[in-house]
């Protein structure tokens, strides 16, 4: 099996194992699914940190309003009494006024924190350094760990408008967010190898050759971004060693 070292720009993202006989359409689709799946795990973990501190998300019309404004507009969080965390809560006001302040107790926070730590470890880009491949199944397992922890802490489920709940059912709206710029739209995805675009309708061996026991660097980007920068033939450490050796040689020649 060939190992694809997937990069986005200069960022090392994950390793993916496949066969050189695989259709390029399939490879691109699977790489994008894993790439976007990692981003989803990261987004959910960021929101779960807020959930553990400040409870469930307020309805959209109540967000970023202070208490006086909420009272003046006669607004009420109808889900506050329905979505109480297991074991009760203490009030911890959200300074961003996005969540209702019903912080889960310490035991339940630990459940959320452990799930986040486990899920992050499963999709960590540092797995590239240990030659650990990532699959869509692993990404889905990470999502299930997060989903399970939320169900333990919130057996009555989260409000339907909570960002975490919307992520779980794939109804998230990333419009206007930084996250929307990070996601690769499948229909616009492009894969590159050695400065050449890996085109749909072919097989991976058309670009990598027939050696099914190799490891290569490939890059993902989107239509309109242009070709990504080519990989350096000489890495930075080796470049410095070569420069030092060359300087030493010049000094020896100068002295002699």
């Amino acid at each position: 099996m060939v190992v694809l070292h997937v990069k986005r720009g200069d960022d090392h993202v994950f390793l993916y194992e496949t066969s050189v006989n695989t259709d390029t359409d399939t490879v691109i689709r699977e790489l994008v699914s894993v790439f976007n799946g990692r981003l989803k795990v990261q987004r959910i973990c960021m929101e779960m940190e807020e959930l553990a501190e400040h409870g469930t998300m307020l309805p959209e019309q109540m967000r970023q309003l202070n208490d006086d404004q909420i009272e003046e507009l006669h607004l009420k969080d109808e889900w506050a009494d329905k979505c109480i965390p297991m074991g009760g809560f203490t009030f911890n006001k959200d300074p961003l006024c996005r969540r209702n302040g019903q912080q889960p107790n310490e035991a339940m926070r630990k459940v959320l924190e452990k799930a986040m730590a486990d899920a992050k470890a499963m999709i960590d880009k540092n797995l590239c350094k240990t030659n650990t491949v990532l699959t869509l199944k692993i990404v889905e397992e990470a999502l299930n760990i997060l989903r399970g922890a939320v169900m333990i802490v919130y057996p009555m489920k989260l409000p339907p408008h909570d960002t975490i709940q919307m992520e779980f059912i794939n109804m998230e709206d990333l419009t206007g967010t930084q996250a929307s710029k990070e996601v690769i739209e499948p229909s616009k995805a492009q894969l590159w190898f050695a400065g050449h675009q890996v085109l749909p309708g072919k097989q991976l061996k058309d670009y990598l050759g027939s050696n099914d026991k190799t490891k290569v660097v490939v890059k993902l980007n989107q239509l309109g971004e242009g070709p990504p920068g080519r990989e350096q033939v000489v890495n930075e450490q080796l470049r410095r060693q070569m420069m030092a050796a060359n300087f030493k040689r010049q000094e020896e020649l100068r002295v002699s």
Side-chain angles (χ1 to χ4, degrees):
M1 300 292 279
V2 62
V3 175
L4 305 180
H5 185 136
V6 182
K7 297 181 69 175
R8 177 76 160 113
D10 294 326
D11 193 21
H12 300 263
V13 188
F14 61 92
L15 303 183
Y16 193 80
E17 195 173 55
T18 187
S19 168
V20 292
N21 295 313
T22 308
D23 293 339
T24 53
D25 302 73
T26 300
V27 173
I28 295 170
R29 183 176 63 252
E30 291 180 352
L31 292 181
V32 171
S33 293
V34 173
F35 181 87
N36 289 340
R38 288 185 71 257
L39 294 178
K40 177 183 278 287
V41 171
Q42 293 170 350
R43 291 195 305 269
I44 293 174
C45 285
M46 287 180 62
E47 284 294 342
M48 283 178 63
E49 291 175 4
E50 296 299 311
L51 178 70
E53 288 297 313
H54 305 295
T56 60
M57 187 166 280
L58 292 165
E60 186 174 2
Q61 68 271 23
M62 295 179 64
R63 292 173 209 162
Q64 298 182 331
L65 298 181
N66 60 40
D67 293 340
D68 291 337
Q69 290 171 321
I70 291 174
E71 184 176 354
E72 183 180 345
L73 294 172
H74 304 291
L75 298 176
K76 182 180 180 181
D77 181 4
E78 301 290 346
W79 294 90
D81 295 333
K82 301 176 185 177
C83 304
I84 295 176
M86 178 69 73
F89 64 87
T90 54
F91 186 74
N92 183 23
K93 186 173 178 59
D94 181 4
L96 299 179
C97 299
R98 294 176 67 243
R99 296 184 171 273
N100 66 12
Q102 296 181 352
Q103 182 186 42
N105 64 31
E106 183 177 1
M108 292 297 101
R109 292 201 302 275
K110 287 183 178 179
V111 170
L112 296 176
E113 289 166 2
K114 184 179 187 306
M116 287 186 282
D118 290 347
K120 288 177 181 178
M122 293 171 72
I123 55 101
D124 195 325
K125 63 184 180 182
N126 285 325
L127 292 173
C128 292
K129 299 178 181 178
T130 59
N131 290 320
T132 304
V133 298
L134 188 61
T135 66
L136 187 57
K137 183 179 179 181
I138 292 174
V139 173
E140 290 171 346
E141 288 175 358
L143 290 169
N144 285 334
I145 287 173
L146 298 176
R147 188 180 287 109
V150 171
M151 289 182 66
I152 290 172
V153 180
Y154 290 90
M156 300 302 291
K157 295 185 178 180
L158 297 174
H161 55 263
D162 195 297
T163 302
I164 298 170
Q165 182 62 23
M166 295 180 75
E167 288 275 11
F168 283 151
I169 62 174
N170 297 318
M171 293 293 289
E172 67 271 21
D173 182 7
L174 304 179
T175 305
T177 66
Q178 179 61 36
S180 68
K181 301 176 182 178
E182 298 171 350
V183 172
I184 294 178
E185 187 175 333
S187 63
K188 296 181 179 179
Q190 294 181 327
L191 184 65
W192 299 77
F193 168 67
H196 299 283
Q197 185 180 352
V198 177
L199 297 172
K202 295 181 177 291
Q203 290 189 319
L204 210 52
K205 65 183 178 183
D206 294 330
Y207 297 90
L208 308 185
S210 299
N211 185 359
D212 217 2
K213 294 183 179 179
T214 187
K215 180 179 179 181
V216 300
V217 173
V218 296
K219 291 190 174 185
L220 278 173
N221 75 355
Q222 287 197 108
L223 183 67
E225 292 182 355
R230 298 192 65 166
E231 289 295 294
Q232 291 183 348
V233 177
V234 179
N235 63 34
E236 183 64 20
Q237 182 178 1
L238 183 56
R239 187 183 70 83
R240 291 181 179 180
Q241 291 174 351
M242 292 170 65
M243 288 177 63
N246 185 53
F247 177 77
K248 182 178 180 182
R249 175 62 177 161
Q250 289 177 344
E251 287 295 298
E252 290 173 348
L253 291 173
R254 187 176 63 82
V255 171
S256 63

